[in-house]
Amino acid sequence: MSNPARLRVAVAMIVVVLFGGWQATQEPVAAAVGGSADMSWQRDLDAFAAYLHVDQAEALRRAQLEEEARALEGYLRQTYPLTFGGEWIDEGNDFGLTVAFTQPTSFDSGDAALISRTKTIVVSRSVRDLEQSGNAAAVTVDRAGIPADVSVDIRNNRVVVAVQDADASALIAAKSLPSDTSILPVEALSAASSDIYGGEPGGGCTTGFGIIKAGTGQRGIASAGHCPNSISIGSVVLTTQQEVRDVYDTQWMLPSPGATVRNWVQDSFTPTARSITSRVFRVNQTVGSTVCHFGGSTGYGCGQITTNTLAPTSCISHAKPIYVQVHNANGQDLSTGGDSGGPWFWLQQAWGLMNCYAGNQIDGIYTPEDELEISLNITVMTAP
Amino acid sequence: MRSLGRVGVVLSCWLLTACTGPGASSTPSFEVPTYADVGAAPAALITGTLERDGACVTVRSPSGPRVLVWPPGTTARLDTAGVIVTEVDGSQYREHGLYAFSGGEYTLADFPQAIAGLADGCRGSQLWYVGPEHPAASP
């Protein structure tokens, strides 16, 4: 069987598996966001049709062409490794495929529908050469200590090194990059995408709840005012935006770009964290109630409220009598150095934010949820 | 004249006793700032080396130096290796040593208690309220 023929068979098999309802024997994959795995391809098709502004039948036809185009690229890379200059799809008004080589090349894509929509061009550099240049450029900027995003721009047959404006002129002057490389000044480079939420230890404290700042809608993390103004949690850096001392001991912090603030708190039981879906105010935090916390030093612990009218002035200079003290009758340490800023919660309710350990060095003292919000004009997140 | 002589003898003896009696130290004392009351304390943690910047005893961490404000009864002295700070419970901290302190970060304006013994040159610095609880995990 010739290669193009094998290719047609392979593509047909892929299409049947994806869209023909061929019942495989594997277990369905549990969908992360609900719904059955069988409907996942339907969701993708719906999104594709909406994106193209076409009906489902047309979306399916185009999806099949894209599938064939992807299979063709694999074949061309393997068959013409030194001269293949890349391939790209243009949806536009109709499906279009461009295939590039470094010299005129005839090939059989094996599919009439695909052939009629394929344009072949000649370019200067092969994909192999561009990828090698891209690797060399990445090594160069890395050795120079210049943050950069390096990529191969297949459509324009070039390597692009994106750097921040301040670094661009230095890089151009150095002339240390391969000749087929373009330098692109940008405002911001790619950033790590990370979740940030309550109960994460860092900077000698523990993150509090995800919050929304009134007025600006900015999403950040609450913490204790006496915690540092810059805290690193993995690759995320939290920076203080507002701090209130004297009567309160609270602050909120903004994460570095790319981080996503969540309405979660770590509690060491669930694989990642539990969701916070409601808030409980001080007036409803009755003496004797059970409430739990997670701290970077003491971990997960629970106790009973002994008072909700405490004014811990040895810890917070002009504290009003609105603080809550929690005691564990078994003597479990509920607060020590490193726990400040951490969340107090019950089930999926936000109850407060850790500030102090009590004089007995085992009780925890926290700012109740509503006072936290009042102090900083924020709202604790109760939804994604 | 005799009474003056007796006074002189008594005074001399007293002075000698003060210089050579038990508990006397030949190492100069050094003042560290302390707060008055041990009660509720902030529950953050800082890890760094104990250093002396002039009259200020600081903890030097990656986030910068903080002047340490100690629990009541804390004393300090200098020896050949530098300053040694001793808390009421006998815990000792030596210059250049690596330690973890519970407590929290304050300025003079928002420190929750009166501070005794804070040298003028240390007043503009970031302060670290040293909590009475010693962290379980020391560096």
Side-chain angles (χ1 to χ4, degrees), chain A residues 4-5 7-8 68 72 107-115:
Chain A
L7 182 61
R8 284 197 292 274
E68 290 167 17
L72 177 63
F107 63 94
D108 178 10
S109 70
D111 182 88
L114 195 60
I115 289 172

Side-chain angles (χ1 to χ4, degrees), chain A residues 18-271:
Chain A
L18 284 178
F19 302 114
W22 179 11
Q23 299 299 313
T25 55
Q26 69 259 17
E27 291 294 319
V29 174
V33 290
S36 78
D38 293 337
M39 301 308 296
S40 60
W41 67 265
Q42 183 64 58
R43 283 198 293 276
D44 288 353
L45 197 62
D46 290 344
F48 190 42
Y51 165 68
L52 295 174
H53 303 290
V54 299
D55 61 22
Q56 290 243 335
E58 174 64 9
L60 183 58
R61 186 185 73 84
R62 302 250 197 124
Q64 287 169 328
L65 286 171
E66 287 204 6
E67 201 60 42
E68 290 167 17
R70 284 190 283 273
L72 177 63
E73 177 166 359
Y75 165 70
L76 294 175
R77 277 180 178 261
Q78 190 178 4
T79 309
Y80 307 97
L82 301 179
T83 59
F84 179 61
E87 177 191 297
W88 55 93
I89 297 167
D90 287 308
E91 288 294 350
N93 292 323
D94 197 358
F95 179 90
L97 182 68
T98 304
V99 180
F101 295 91
T102 57
Q103 61 193 39
T105 302
S106 296
F107 63 94
D108 178 10
S109 70
D111 182 88
L114 195 60
I115 289 172
S116 67
R117 288 168 173 77
T118 301
K119 177 176 66 174
T120 306
I121 62 172
V122 176
V123 295
S124 308
R125 301 170 201 90
S126 68
V127 167
R128 176 176 288 195
D129 288 343
L130 287 170
E131 287 174 350
Q132 284 174 349
S133 287
N135 288 338
V139 169
T140 299
V141 294
D142 184 53
R143 282 185 181 154
I146 297 174
D149 290 337
V150 180
S151 60
V152 173
D153 178 4
I154 280 294
R155 290 171 189 264
N156 292 298
N157 199 236
R158 61 175 185 168
V159 171
V160 176
V161 177
V163 292
Q164 288 183 289
D165 293 330
D167 292 323
S169 52
L171 202 54
I172 292 168
K175 296 181 184 174
S176 52
L177 293 172
S179 58
D180 55 0
T181 304
S182 299
I183 297 170
L184 178 66
V186 294
E187 224 176 272
L189 297 172
S190 60
S193 174
S194 293
D195 293 323
I196 188 78
Y197 45 88
E200 296 190 275
C205 284
T206 303
T207 55
F209 301 103
I211 62 96
I212 300 173
K213 176 64 180 172
T216 63
Q218 290 170 296
R219 294 186 175 221
I221 291 289
S223 188
H226 64 258
C227 287
N229 290 350
S230 179
I231 292 174
S232 294
I233 310 286
S235 61
V236 178
V237 177
L238 295 168
T239 307
T240 297
Q241 302 300 300
Q242 182 189 2
E243 184 176 304
V244 180
R245 307 300 290 273
D246 195 272
V247 173
Y248 292 107
D249 173 35
T250 56
Q251 64 172 310
W252 78 272
M253 313 180 85
L254 202 59
S256 42
T260 303
V261 180
R262 301 290 186 186
N263 63 315
W264 306 340
V265 293
Q266 177 167 285
D267 62 11
S268 82
F269 284 94
T270 48

